[in-house]
Amino acid sequence: LEFRRVLFRSRAASDACRYLSINLQTLQSGGNIVEVDEQGRRRPMSAEAIQAKITDIQDAVREHCHD
């Protein structure tokens, strides 16, 4: 049972790291990036907001994602 819990956590962490990596690549690709607000409307992100998100994701990857 403990092995299954560890395996599940490992898979969840791996999935989260993959998700972070994809988001980071998208943000770094340039072009127009939009967010969807609470009402489902698409809002363009400013260059500053994009850079802040890139920094946050890079920090999360460094802290939680290990090869």
Side-chain angles (χ1 to χ4, degrees), residues 1-65:
L1 185 61
E2 183 60 30
F3 173 74
R4 287 184 185 161
R5 280 190 205 138
V6 170
L7 182 60
F8 178 76
R9 279 190 222 129
S10 176
R11 284 185 184 160
S14 177
D15 289 346
C17 289
R18 190 171 17 263
Y19 177 78
L20 287 170
S21 176
I22 290 167
N23 280 328
L24 185 58
Q25 288 173 6
T26 300
L27 290 168
Q28 292 175 326
S29 70
N32 296 326
I33 306 290
V34 297
E35 286 186 303
V36 178
D37 67 16
E38 297 82 27
Q39 289 78 32
R41 293 181 297 235
R42 295 167 56 95
R43 303 277 185 200
M45 291 179 68
S46 69
E48 294 81 13
I50 292 170
Q51 188 55 53
K53 224 176 252 277
I54 287 171
T55 299
D56 289 345
I57 292 173
Q58 287 172 332
D59 291 345
V61 167
R62 266 192 297 279
E63 185 174 341
H64 300 289
C65 303

